[in-house]
Amino acid sequence: MRIRVGSHALFLVALFHSGFLGFAILDPVDFLALQFIRKSLHDLPGSNFLASWDFTSDPCNFAGVYCESNKVVALNLGDPRAGSPGLTGRLDSGFGKLSALVELSIVPGRIYGPLPVSISQLKGLRFLAISRNFISGNIPAVLGQLRRLKTLDLSYNQLTGGIPRSIGTLPELTNVILCHNRLSGSVPLFRSQVLSRLDLRHNALSGSLAPNSLPASLQSLSLSWNQLTGPVDRLLSRLNKLNYLDLSLNRFTGPIPGRLFSFPITNLQLERNLFSGPVLPIDQVTIPTVDLSHNRLSGHLSPMLSTVQNLYLNDNQFTGKVPASFVDRILSASIRILYLQHNYLTGIEINPTAAIPLRSSICLQYNCMVPPVQTACPLKAGKVKTRPTAQCQRKG
């Protein structure tokens, strides 16, 4: 759709110059663009957000419309209060005519259809957030023309196809949130050296990640619930600013780098992959929660892990005895959760009459030993207390 500056807009200009309008007139192109946007969107039942959009008054006073001089610079569409019903309808191509737009956000609702290609014309756009709606189709590759874009949030929609490589070339990106869609293909190379958050979880992404595919500036990385493969040890070793890492439920392989445990991470989720080899932190681990369960990790348990509050090492191939440092911290209630079930561990030196603190949970069953203390394990651990001797002999 092409927006023409027609007789309606010219009439407003004439009124302004004649002194009949009591407000500073909006640029005619922006005025018409807002009209087209208004016609394509509707309030869901319970919402009256668009009721203020009365074009006989100043559009810069409309709910969610922010102007500087005679141009629209920000659109925040929908009632921002939590739980508000939101909007429905389609996104009109008129968005692309708001040439001074810096910020575009739409609250959760039932907006459907594709993302307008015309958004790529907003060369000054820095913030684009249209999450928790029903946007479908591909992410337009022409969004790579938004060279000043800092935040891209299209999460919780129904987007399909790949993540365009052009998105990865945007130099000022700080936040990319595309989780909970139906995106496929590989993760593109991200070149922005200020990218701090990348959230691509709950998609159908595949392929491997090159060691230099993500910038060292990342602080939060979530790739869980995809079909990603290959080793990531060289990549992760570079990301020393991470404070949150979730790679769970993929098919990543190879070792987990020891220096990863020294990063300022508060939550480390690597469960349900194909990681293998020993786990060898280089220092005492201060990460509160570490989940390495359901992998192919092996070797002895490192005492460096005994300082973790919530530690999930179950369903791996660990061998040997549980270090004494774990026992000390269990009895002092410093460890809240210690799941070691379904490994090949051969012993733990703990008094059978020892009182496990009520706020601590420890599970030792289905290893190559009889658990010396009876504790409540999660239901998924099963009822069998000890691994069959034949399996333990083969592992030994």
Side-chain angles (χ1 to χ4, degrees):
M1 180 199 71
R2 299 179 60 187
I3 295 180
R4 293 174 295 179
V5 182
S7 56
H8 191 173
L10 294 176
F11 175 66
L12 288 171
V13 174
L15 285 176
F16 172 66
H17 287 297
S18 300
F20 287 105
L21 288 180
F23 53 86
I25 193 168
L26 186 65
D27 179 279
V29 175
D30 285 27
F31 185 93
L32 284 179
L34 290 178
Q35 283 194 320
F36 281 113
I37 292 169
R38 172 63 185 89
K39 289 177 182 177
S40 67
L41 297 177
H42 312 280
D43 283 303
L44 283 170
S47 171
N48 62 353
F49 177 80
L50 292 172
S52 70
W53 285 43
D54 177 1
F55 286 89
T56 61
S57 61
D58 182 2
C60 293
N61 291 328
F62 292 175
V65 178
Y66 303 88
C67 303
E68 287 184 4
S69 300
N70 66 337
K71 302 289 288 184
V72 177
V73 295
L75 279 183
N76 304 135
L77 302 182
D79 188 336
R81 290 176 294 184
S84 61
L87 308 174
T88 187
R90 300 173 71 94
L91 298 179
D92 191 89
S93 61
F95 282 102
K97 294 298 182 181
L98 299 173
S99 58
L101 202 64
V102 173
E103 178 178 329
L104 172 58
S105 66
I106 301 178
V107 302
R110 300 187 65 86
I111 292 174
Y112 57 89
L115 202 63
V117 173
S118 64
I119 290 179
S120 65
Q121 300 170 19
L122 305 176
K123 304 306 182 185
L125 195 66
R126 296 181 184 179
F127 186 90
L128 175 59
I130 309 174
S131 65
R132 296 181 186 272
N133 278 278
F134 292 84
I135 305 297
S136 59
N138 294 347
I139 299 175
V142 289
L143 292 189
Q145 298 175 18
L146 303 175
R147 308 305 291 175
R148 300 186 69 184
L149 194 65
K150 295 181 180 295
T151 292
L152 175 63
D153 183 356
L154 302 176
S155 59
Y156 293 89
N157 280 292
Q158 298 178 356
L159 294 166
T160 54
I163 302 173
R165 292 184 179 181
S166 58
I167 299 296
T169 68
L170 295 176
E172 298 184 22
L173 274 180
T174 57
N175 300 284
V176 177
I177 309 168
L178 302 176
C179 60
H180 288 269
N181 278 287
R182 301 171 185 174
L183 299 170
S184 57
S186 59
V187 177
L189 173 70
F190 283 91
R191 296 178 180 174
S192 169
Q193 296 305 304
V194 291
L195 185 64
S196 63
R197 180 182 179 188
L198 179 61
D199 189 347
L200 306 179
R201 62 197 153 98
H202 283 268
N203 279 290
L205 299 169
S206 59
S208 58
L209 301 176
N212 63 343
S213 58
L214 302 177
S217 56
L218 270 177
Q219 298 178 28
S220 176
L221 175 61
S222 184
L223 302 176
S224 62
W225 289 88
N226 279 288
Q227 300 162 22
L228 297 165
T229 57
V232 289
D233 52 316
R234 291 172 60 194
L235 170 64
L236 293 179
S237 294
R238 294 177 45 252
L239 306 181
N240 60 357
K241 294 183 176 63
L242 282 175
N243 56 49
Y244 181 87
L245 177 61
D246 186 356
L247 304 183
S248 60
L249 290 123
N250 280 285
R251 299 171 189 167
F252 289 121
T253 57
I256 298 174
R259 69 188 305 258
L260 177 67
F261 297 95
S262 300
F263 296 166
I265 298 173
T266 57
N267 196 317
L268 177 59
Q269 306 283 339
L270 301 181
E271 70 270 19
R272 296 186 183 275
N273 277 283
L274 301 172
F275 290 117
S276 59
V279 178
L280 301 172
I282 59 179
D283 204 346
Q284 290 293 152
V285 180
T286 59
I287 303 172
T289 297
V290 174
D291 193 341
L292 309 181
S293 64
H294 296 273
N295 278 287
R296 297 177 179 178
L297 301 168
S298 58
H300 290 198
L301 297 184
S302 170
M304 299 297 182
L305 291 168
S306 65
T307 44
V308 177
Q309 294 177 18
N310 304 293
L311 181 60
Y312 303 84
L313 298 177
N314 54 288
D315 294 88
N316 278 289
Q317 299 173 19
F318 290 112
T319 56
K321 292 186 176 182
V322 179
S325 55
F326 282 92
V327 177
D328 295 339
R329 293 185 63 80
I330 291 168
L331 297 179
S332 67
S334 299
I335 293 180
R336 299 291 183 87
I337 296 174
L338 179 61
Y339 282 176
L340 300 176
Q341 68 270 21
H342 288 257
N343 280 286
Y344 294 83
L345 299 169
T346 55
I348 179 171
E349 294 186 9
I350 185 170
N351 192 323
T353 62
I356 304 297
L358 292 176
R359 62 180 182 176
S360 296
S361 177
I362 176 174
C363 185
L364 298 168
Q365 70 185 46
Y366 210 72
N367 277 286
C368 298
M369 62 176 172
V370 177
V373 288
Q374 299 301 314
T375 55
C377 287
L379 290 175
K380 291 182 180 179
K383 297 182 179 180
V384 181
K385 298 295 183 184
T386 305
R387 185 179 286 277
T389 304
Q391 292 184 15
C392 295
Q393 289 173 341
R394 287 198 299 270
K395 195 66 180 175

